[in-house]
Amino acid sequence: MIEEGSKRGKAMVEKRQLFMEMRAQNFDVIRLSTYRTACKLRFVQKRCNLHLVDVWNMIEAFRDNGLNTLDHNAEINVSRLETILSSIYYQLNKRLPTTHQINVEQSIGLLLNFMVATYDSEGHGKLTVFSMKAMLATMCGGKIVDKLRYIFSQISDSSGVMVFAKFDQFLREVLKLPTAVFEGPSFGYTEHSVRTCFPQQKKILLNTFLDVLMADPPPQCLVWLPLMHRLANVENVFHPVECSYCRSESMMGFRYRCQQCHGYQLCQSCFWRGHANGPHSNQHQMKEHSSWKSPAKKLSHAISKSLGCVPIGEPPHPVFPEQAERPQELTHTVQPKPVANNMNDTMLMSSGTPTPTKSVLESPSRLDEEHRLIARYAARLAAEAGNSTQQCPPTDLSFNFDANKQQRQLIAELENKNREILQEIQRLRLEHEQASQPTPEKAQQNPTLLAELRLLRHRKDELERRMSALQESRRELMVQLEGLMRLLKSQSGGSPHSSPSHGAGCSMPMPIRSTSAGSTPTHTPQDCLAGVGGDVLEAFAQGVPRNLRNDLLVAADSITNTMSSLVKELHSVDDGGEEEETNMRNGGDRAEAE
């Protein structure tokens, strides 16, 4: 009795564990019920590790456990359900790498308690086969188109037409999932759910079924199902865009752009919680983005679309044959075993895979549709491309063989031509590179040398500008010196007591003339001494480069000596010459200042 009580208490704790963890995620703050339901079911899927089990592996598990031979309304007890779940998870661990193994016992306990709480709320300890198939096929991993194909095979007749009563039963079972995560008021089952999905159609085939359930938007009662798959696809999608509300510099998951406010974008967390700021309102229409495209990619896509390179209005799923295939004899067929989670990719390699129906279930051999799908895949692999030739009359075999041979020859010729074109392009590219780099020195240039060359050129330009400024300053000094020399000459010539020695002392060009220069001076640059008189030009425009500072110092000394001699001579004149002496002193002072 004590052991039974402890087991019962442990089961109650495990039953509540998943729901307690889900409540801790605080999904109820999400404003929209569709996103809230999808997030909760996605959490249950990942917590139970169902996202690692592909739908084709799930179908194989159903067949291995004999569920294909049972009626949909047959009941199985909890112990057998636990055995089925154990086989699913143990097979999963065999497919996973050793570094990614899951806790099988914990996954079995969580999923078993969730299924019992969802489909056995009254505590009978039993579930129907159809309830278990509908739940596991919906919550497992894989593509939504593969799941819907399998579900259609369970609710259609032998002619491939959907049975409305069975679809209604499917809705009853699958809509218990939102109710289990406390979203029943938004997505609970009603008697009008079937007609809301197919309001006018009377004969529903596979393609029509897929068109309706994969439409945008899908039926209101199942709108959370495709959203759950989109959530799984965008969990690791990165958007290098800043959120207009929380100012996060990047986004993960969905991105939402306002259709009215220019450049206003929200991350999925802010949008789900109804955050808005500025002129934006929650009533504005938002567009959901599940990927990021750079402006360059958007422009190229728009150009390709305008040129007709991008197909418009692509169908959301492949078009499958309308007629159901006849059962195949599988007595001597070896069934291939799937070895990876991507079994759906290999199963769908050949386009036009027929729709699985329940005709085999109703046949005496009691082979189910999953068995036929795997056998058909094995037959296609064995036959390779022989299906097309088997459908033709025997008289056309040689013609088809010749046509295929001609096509292969044409393909080989085109490949050779393409190879020659690529070689020619490579040769022209090499020639162009050699022409653009004719010398080894140029080919060996590196960024450091180029940077130094640019720096030297900049320094050269700076020195040229400075040289021009110095030449201009020199020209101005020469002009001022010429004016002083003219003033001194005029004063010297106007003095009545000037002596020959005094006149010789006023000859200004002589002290600053270069003795090493020739008798004929060379010309300086064009704008260096333009406008300067002959005396100064003769003194400074010599062929040998001179130090401008030394020349000016020598000229200043000469002017000082001349002024001294003039002052001494002017002291000997009478009082009438005082005004002339004062002018000479003022001129001498200005000359010294210059």
Side-chain angles (χ1 to χ4, degrees), residues 422-454:
L422 291 176
Q423 293 176 356
E424 183 68 17
I425 291 174
Q426 183 68 17
R427 185 184 62 82
L428 293 175
R429 184 182 292 109
L430 292 175
E431 291 181 358
H432 177 71
E433 292 177 355
Q434 294 175 359
S436 60
Q437 298 181 356
T439 59
E441 293 79 11
K442 186 175 181 181
Q444 295 175 358
Q445 285 181 355
N446 53 41
T448 305
L449 295 178
L450 294 177
E452 293 180 357
L453 180 59
R454 286 194 293 268

mmCIF file of all heavy atoms in Angstrom, residues 422-454:
data_model
loop_
_atom_site.group_PDB
_atom_site.id
_atom_site.type_symbol
_atom_site.label_atom_id
_atom_site.label_comp_id
_atom_site.label_asym_id
_atom_site.label_seq_id
_atom_site.Cartn_x
_atom_site.Cartn_y
_atom_site.Cartn_z
ATOM 1 N N LEU A 422 34.891 28.211 -70.025
ATOM 2 C CA LEU A 422 35.452 28.555 -68.722
ATOM 3 C C LEU A 422 36.974 28.677 -68.789
ATOM 4 O O LEU A 422 37.566 29.571 -68.169
ATOM 5 C CB LEU A 422 35.051 27.495 -67.694
ATOM 6 C CG LEU A 422 33.565 27.447 -67.310
ATOM 7 C CD1 LEU A 422 33.314 26.291 -66.351
ATOM 8 C CD2 LEU A 422 33.126 28.764 -66.683
ATOM 9 N N GLN A 423 37.640 27.786 -69.554
ATOM 10 C CA GLN A 423 39.087 27.890 -69.703
ATOM 11 C C GLN A 423 39.481 29.178 -70.417
ATOM 12 O O GLN A 423 40.456 29.836 -70.047
ATOM 13 C CB GLN A 423 39.605 26.669 -70.463
ATOM 14 C CG GLN A 423 39.477 25.354 -69.689
ATOM 15 C CD GLN A 423 39.916 24.163 -70.507
ATOM 16 O OE1 GLN A 423 40.259 24.301 -71.686
ATOM 17 N NE2 GLN A 423 39.905 22.973 -69.895
ATOM 18 N N GLU A 424 38.708 29.548 -71.437
ATOM 19 C CA GLU A 424 38.997 30.793 -72.153
ATOM 20 C C GLU A 424 38.808 32.005 -71.249
ATOM 21 O O GLU A 424 39.604 32.956 -71.282
ATOM 22 C CB GLU A 424 38.081 30.891 -73.387
ATOM 23 C CG GLU A 424 38.336 32.107 -74.256
ATOM 24 C CD GLU A 424 39.682 32.051 -74.957
ATOM 25 O OE1 GLU A 424 40.266 30.954 -75.022
ATOM 26 O OE2 GLU A 424 40.129 33.106 -75.437
ATOM 27 N N ILE A 425 37.774 31.965 -70.442
ATOM 28 C CA ILE A 425 37.547 33.072 -69.505
ATOM 29 C C ILE A 425 38.697 33.167 -68.509
ATOM 30 O O ILE A 425 39.191 34.264 -68.194
ATOM 31 C CB ILE A 425 36.205 32.871 -68.778
ATOM 32 C CG1 ILE A 425 35.045 33.046 -69.771
ATOM 33 C CG2 ILE A 425 36.058 33.845 -67.613
ATOM 34 C CD1 ILE A 425 33.693 32.733 -69.169
ATOM 35 N N GLN A 426 39.176 32.030 -68.032
ATOM 36 C CA GLN A 426 40.303 32.037 -67.093
ATOM 37 C C GLN A 426 41.563 32.586 -67.754
ATOM 38 O O GLN A 426 42.328 33.355 -67.142
ATOM 39 C CB GLN A 426 40.537 30.619 -66.572
ATOM 40 C CG GLN A 426 41.626 30.514 -65.535
ATOM 41 C CD GLN A 426 41.248 31.189 -64.235
ATOM 42 O OE1 GLN A 426 40.080 31.456 -63.997
ATOM 43 N NE2 GLN A 426 42.235 31.489 -63.400
ATOM 44 N N ARG A 427 41.795 32.200 -69.028
ATOM 45 C CA ARG A 427 42.981 32.709 -69.731
ATOM 46 C C ARG A 427 42.910 34.219 -69.925
ATOM 47 O O ARG A 427 43.898 34.937 -69.702
ATOM 48 C CB ARG A 427 43.107 32.014 -71.091
ATOM 49 C CG ARG A 427 44.372 32.360 -71.863
ATOM 50 C CD ARG A 427 44.371 31.703 -73.222
ATOM 51 N NE ARG A 427 43.256 32.158 -74.044
ATOM 52 C CZ ARG A 427 43.283 33.315 -74.741
ATOM 53 N NH1 ARG A 427 44.359 34.088 -74.703
ATOM 54 N NH2 ARG A 427 42.254 33.676 -75.478
ATOM 55 N N LEU A 428 41.745 34.721 -70.324
ATOM 56 C CA LEU A 428 41.595 36.171 -70.508
ATOM 57 C C LEU A 428 41.748 36.918 -69.193
ATOM 58 O O LEU A 428 42.326 38.015 -69.156
ATOM 59 C CB LEU A 428 40.223 36.462 -71.130
ATOM 60 C CG LEU A 428 40.025 35.964 -72.565
ATOM 61 C CD1 LEU A 428 38.595 36.215 -73.015
ATOM 62 C CD2 LEU A 428 41.001 36.656 -73.518
ATOM 63 N N ARG A 429 41.277 36.328 -68.128
ATOM 64 C CA ARG A 429 41.416 36.979 -66.827
ATOM 65 C C ARG A 429 42.888 37.086 -66.427
ATOM 66 O O ARG A 429 43.347 38.108 -65.921
ATOM 67 C CB ARG A 429 40.626 36.211 -65.777
ATOM 68 C CG ARG A 429 40.641 36.877 -64.391
ATOM 69 C CD ARG A 429 39.887 36.070 -63.355
ATOM 70 N NE ARG A 429 38.456 36.061 -63.614
ATOM 71 C CZ ARG A 429 37.777 35.002 -64.032
ATOM 72 N NH1 ARG A 429 38.411 33.844 -64.198
ATOM 73 N NH2 ARG A 429 36.477 35.058 -64.246
ATOM 74 N N LEU A 430 43.667 36.016 -66.682
ATOM 75 C CA LEU A 430 45.093 36.057 -66.360
ATOM 76 C C LEU A 430 45.820 37.093 -67.202
ATOM 77 O O LEU A 430 46.683 37.828 -66.703
ATOM 78 C CB LEU A 430 45.709 34.673 -66.573
ATOM 79 C CG LEU A 430 45.253 33.574 -65.600
ATOM 80 C CD1 LEU A 430 45.861 32.236 -66.005
ATOM 81 C CD2 LEU A 430 45.631 33.927 -64.178
ATOM 82 N N GLU A 431 45.474 37.165 -68.496
ATOM 83 C CA GLU A 431 46.106 38.177 -69.349
ATOM 84 C C GLU A 431 45.788 39.583 -68.872
ATOM 85 O O GLU A 431 46.636 40.479 -68.895
ATOM 86 C CB GLU A 431 45.636 37.975 -70.796
ATOM 87 C CG GLU A 431 46.176 36.705 -71.447
ATOM 88 C CD GLU A 431 45.694 36.569 -72.884
ATOM 89 O OE1 GLU A 431 44.913 37.447 -73.321
ATOM 90 O OE2 GLU A 431 46.091 35.596 -73.559
ATOM 91 N N HIS A 432 44.545 39.780 -68.465
ATOM 92 C CA HIS A 432 44.164 41.106 -67.973
ATOM 93 C C HIS A 432 44.931 41.473 -66.705
ATOM 94 O O HIS A 432 45.397 42.615 -66.550
ATOM 95 C CB HIS A 432 42.663 41.141 -67.709
ATOM 96 C CG HIS A 432 42.186 42.441 -67.132
ATOM 97 N ND1 HIS A 432 42.144 43.608 -67.870
ATOM 98 C CD2 HIS A 432 41.743 42.751 -65.882
ATOM 99 C CE1 HIS A 432 41.696 44.593 -67.106
ATOM 100 N NE2 HIS A 432 41.432 44.090 -65.896
ATOM 101 N N GLU A 433 45.121 40.503 -65.810
ATOM 102 C CA GLU A 433 45.876 40.773 -64.594
ATOM 103 C C GLU A 433 47.331 41.068 -64.904
ATOM 104 O O GLU A 433 47.942 41.954 -64.289
ATOM 105 C CB GLU A 433 45.752 39.578 -63.648
ATOM 106 C CG GLU A 433 44.344 39.389 -63.094
ATOM 107 C CD GLU A 433 44.250 38.149 -62.218
ATOM 108 O OE1 GLU A 433 45.273 37.415 -62.138
ATOM 109 O OE2 GLU A 433 43.175 37.913 -61.635
ATOM 110 N N GLN A 434 47.932 40.328 -65.876
ATOM 111 C CA GLN A 434 49.315 40.603 -66.236
ATOM 112 C C GLN A 434 49.472 41.961 -66.893
ATOM 113 O O GLN A 434 50.461 42.655 -66.674
ATOM 114 C CB GLN A 434 49.826 39.492 -67.164
ATOM 115 C CG GLN A 434 49.923 38.126 -66.487
ATOM 116 C CD GLN A 434 50.321 37.036 -67.466
ATOM 117 O OE1 GLN A 434 50.501 37.316 -68.654
ATOM 118 N NE2 GLN A 434 50.451 35.802 -66.979
ATOM 119 N N ALA A 435 48.482 42.360 -67.703
ATOM 120 C CA ALA A 435 48.553 43.680 -68.345
ATOM 121 C C ALA A 435 48.415 44.799 -67.337
ATOM 122 O O ALA A 435 49.025 45.869 -67.474
ATOM 123 C CB ALA A 435 47.456 43.794 -69.418
ATOM 124 N N SER A 436 47.588 44.582 -66.340
ATOM 125 C CA SER A 436 47.406 45.630 -65.332
ATOM 126 C C SER A 436 48.604 45.733 -64.402
ATOM 127 O O SER A 436 48.786 46.748 -63.740
ATOM 128 C CB SER A 436 46.152 45.340 -64.499
ATOM 129 O OG SER A 436 46.280 44.094 -63.837
ATOM 130 N N GLN A 437 49.487 44.715 -64.337
ATOM 131 C CA GLN A 437 50.691 44.745 -63.523
ATOM 132 C C GLN A 437 51.891 44.372 -64.401
ATOM 133 O O GLN A 437 52.387 43.237 -64.384
ATOM 134 C CB GLN A 437 50.574 43.774 -62.352
ATOM 135 C CG GLN A 437 49.446 44.113 -61.395
ATOM 136 C CD GLN A 437 49.363 43.146 -60.234
ATOM 137 O OE1 GLN A 437 50.116 42.175 -60.198
ATOM 138 N NE2 GLN A 437 48.474 43.407 -59.307
ATOM 139 N N PRO A 438 52.389 45.307 -65.253
ATOM 140 C CA PRO A 438 53.438 44.960 -66.224
ATOM 141 C C PRO A 438 54.807 44.709 -65.605
ATOM 142 O O PRO A 438 55.610 43.984 -66.153
ATOM 143 C CB PRO A 438 53.469 46.179 -67.148
ATOM 144 C CG PRO A 438 52.961 47.292 -66.290
ATOM 145 C CD PRO A 438 51.956 46.691 -65.347
ATOM 146 N N THR A 439 55.157 45.331 -64.474
ATOM 147 C CA THR A 439 56.506 45.213 -63.915
ATOM 148 C C THR A 439 56.450 44.443 -62.609
ATOM 149 O O THR A 439 55.456 44.508 -61.880
ATOM 150 C CB THR A 439 57.097 46.615 -63.674
ATOM 151 O OG1 THR A 439 56.238 47.317 -62.767
ATOM 152 C CG2 THR A 439 57.189 47.376 -64.981
ATOM 153 N N PRO A 440 57.524 43.741 -62.270
ATOM 154 C CA PRO A 440 57.554 43.027 -60.978
ATOM 155 C C PRO A 440 57.492 43.982 -59.803
ATOM 156 O O PRO A 440 56.938 43.658 -58.765
ATOM 157 C CB PRO A 440 58.883 42.266 -61.024
ATOM 158 C CG PRO A 440 59.236 42.180 -62.489
ATOM 159 C CD PRO A 440 58.695 43.433 -63.113
ATOM 160 N N GLU A 441 58.152 45.204 -59.985
ATOM 161 C CA GLU A 441 58.107 46.154 -58.870
ATOM 162 C C GLU A 441 56.678 46.549 -58.552
ATOM 163 O O GLU A 441 56.277 46.651 -57.391
ATOM 164 C CB GLU A 441 58.936 47.396 -59.211
ATOM 165 C CG GLU A 441 60.439 47.130 -59.322
ATOM 166 C CD GLU A 441 60.819 46.492 -60.658
ATOM 167 O OE1 GLU A 441 59.925 46.459 -61.549
ATOM 168 O OE2 GLU A 441 61.957 46.064 -60.825
ATOM 169 N N LYS A 442 55.882 46.773 -59.568
ATOM 170 C CA LYS A 442 54.489 47.156 -59.349
ATOM 171 C C LYS A 442 53.691 46.015 -58.751
ATOM 172 O O LYS A 442 52.802 46.213 -57.925
ATOM 173 C CB LYS A 442 53.866 47.601 -60.671
ATOM 174 C CG LYS A 442 52.467 48.153 -60.514
ATOM 175 C CD LYS A 442 51.951 48.689 -61.819
ATOM 176 C CE LYS A 442 50.533 49.267 -61.652
ATOM 177 N NZ LYS A 442 49.990 49.776 -62.914
ATOM 178 N N ALA A 443 54.018 44.780 -59.191
ATOM 179 C CA ALA A 443 53.286 43.636 -58.643
ATOM 180 C C ALA A 443 53.630 43.401 -57.190
ATOM 181 O O ALA A 443 52.839 42.835 -56.442
ATOM 182 C CB ALA A 443 53.578 42.389 -59.461
ATOM 183 N N GLN A 444 54.868 43.833 -56.802
ATOM 184 C CA GLN A 444 55.289 43.597 -55.443
ATOM 185 C C GLN A 444 54.914 44.727 -54.496
ATOM 186 O O GLN A 444 55.346 44.734 -53.348
ATOM 187 C CB GLN A 444 56.807 43.387 -55.404
ATOM 188 C CG GLN A 444 57.273 42.140 -56.147
ATOM 189 C CD GLN A 444 58.775 42.039 -56.175
ATOM 190 O OE1 GLN A 444 59.461 42.916 -55.671
ATOM 191 N NE2 GLN A 444 59.278 40.974 -56.783
ATOM 192 N N GLN A 445 54.182 45.694 -54.973
ATOM 193 C CA GLN A 445 53.769 46.789 -54.106
ATOM 194 C C GLN A 445 52.859 46.257 -53.011
ATOM 195 O O GLN A 445 52.053 45.369 -53.232
ATOM 196 C CB GLN A 445 53.048 47.868 -54.907
ATOM 197 C CG GLN A 445 53.985 48.717 -55.748
ATOM 198 C CD GLN A 445 53.231 49.783 -56.509
ATOM 199 O OE1 GLN A 445 52.012 49.809 -56.463
ATOM 200 N NE2 GLN A 445 53.947 50.644 -57.181
ATOM 201 N N ASN A 446 53.015 46.887 -51.865
ATOM 202 C CA ASN A 446 52.152 46.521 -50.752
ATOM 203 C C ASN A 446 51.503 47.776 -50.194
ATOM 204 O O ASN A 446 51.930 48.893 -50.506
ATOM 205 C CB ASN A 446 52.939 45.774 -49.669
ATOM 206 C CG ASN A 446 54.172 46.557 -49.233
ATOM 207 O OD1 ASN A 446 54.127 47.774 -49.080
ATOM 208 N ND2 ASN A 446 55.274 45.849 -49.027
ATOM 209 N N PRO A 447 50.528 47.648 -49.388
ATOM 210 C CA PRO A 447 49.841 48.841 -48.847
ATOM 211 C C PRO A 447 50.759 49.768 -48.071
ATOM 212 O O PRO A 447 50.553 50.979 -48.069
ATOM 213 C CB PRO A 447 48.770 48.209 -47.946
ATOM 214 C CG PRO A 447 48.535 46.844 -48.503
ATOM 215 C CD PRO A 447 49.855 46.406 -49.029
ATOM 216 N N THR A 448 51.800 49.230 -47.415
ATOM 217 C CA THR A 448 52.701 50.098 -46.648
ATOM 218 C C THR A 448 53.468 51.041 -47.555
ATOM 219 O O THR A 448 53.567 52.250 -47.298
ATOM 220 C CB THR A 448 53.680 49.227 -45.839
ATOM 221 O OG1 THR A 448 52.924 48.319 -45.026
ATOM 222 C CG2 THR A 448 54.555 50.091 -44.961
ATOM 223 N N LEU A 449 54.002 50.498 -48.674
ATOM 224 C CA LEU A 449 54.723 51.352 -49.616
ATOM 225 C C LEU A 449 53.806 52.393 -50.239
ATOM 226 O O LEU A 449 54.194 53.547 -50.435
ATOM 227 C CB LEU A 449 55.367 50.487 -50.691
ATOM 228 C CG LEU A 449 56.472 49.527 -50.216
ATOM 229 C CD1 LEU A 449 56.988 48.711 -51.369
ATOM 230 C CD2 LEU A 449 57.604 50.319 -49.577
ATOM 231 N N LEU A 450 52.610 51.987 -50.569
ATOM 232 C CA LEU A 450 51.670 52.956 -51.152
ATOM 233 C C LEU A 450 51.345 54.070 -50.171
ATOM 234 O O LEU A 450 51.243 55.242 -50.545
ATOM 235 C CB LEU A 450 50.391 52.224 -51.579
ATOM 236 C CG LEU A 450 50.548 51.224 -52.730
ATOM 237 C CD1 LEU A 450 49.224 50.519 -52.993
ATOM 238 C CD2 LEU A 450 51.019 51.931 -54.000
ATOM 239 N N ALA A 451 51.205 53.740 -48.894
ATOM 240 C CA ALA A 451 50.928 54.769 -47.888
ATOM 241 C C ALA A 451 52.108 55.728 -47.746
ATOM 242 O O ALA A 451 51.930 56.947 -47.643
ATOM 243 C CB ALA A 451 50.598 54.104 -46.556
ATOM 244 N N GLU A 452 53.341 55.173 -47.770
ATOM 245 C CA GLU A 452 54.508 56.046 -47.694
ATOM 246 C C GLU A 452 54.619 56.943 -48.913
ATOM 247 O O GLU A 452 54.989 58.119 -48.807
ATOM 248 C CB GLU A 452 55.761 55.177 -47.553
ATOM 249 C CG GLU A 452 55.843 54.419 -46.230
ATOM 250 C CD GLU A 452 57.098 53.569 -46.147
ATOM 251 O OE1 GLU A 452 57.846 53.554 -47.153
ATOM 252 O OE2 GLU A 452 57.317 52.948 -45.089
ATOM 253 N N LEU A 453 54.277 56.393 -50.086
ATOM 254 C CA LEU A 453 54.325 57.219 -51.293
ATOM 255 C C LEU A 453 53.327 58.371 -51.213
ATOM 256 O O LEU A 453 53.648 59.510 -51.576
ATOM 257 C CB LEU A 453 54.026 56.332 -52.511
ATOM 258 C CG LEU A 453 54.022 57.033 -53.876
ATOM 259 C CD1 LEU A 453 55.369 57.669 -54.148
ATOM 260 C CD2 LEU A 453 53.658 56.048 -54.981
ATOM 261 N N ARG A 454 52.133 58.079 -50.742
ATOM 262 C CA ARG A 454 51.145 59.164 -50.601
ATOM 263 C C ARG A 454 51.619 60.211 -49.598
ATOM 264 O O ARG A 454 51.422 61.416 -49.793
ATOM 265 C CB ARG A 454 49.807 58.569 -50.169
ATOM 266 C CG ARG A 454 49.070 57.833 -51.288
ATOM 267 C CD ARG A 454 47.631 57.561 -50.893
ATOM 268 N NE ARG A 454 47.567 56.594 -49.792
ATOM 269 C CZ ARG A 454 47.444 55.290 -49.978
ATOM 270 N NH1 ARG A 454 47.397 54.790 -51.205
ATOM 271 N NH2 ARG A 454 47.387 54.483 -48.945
#
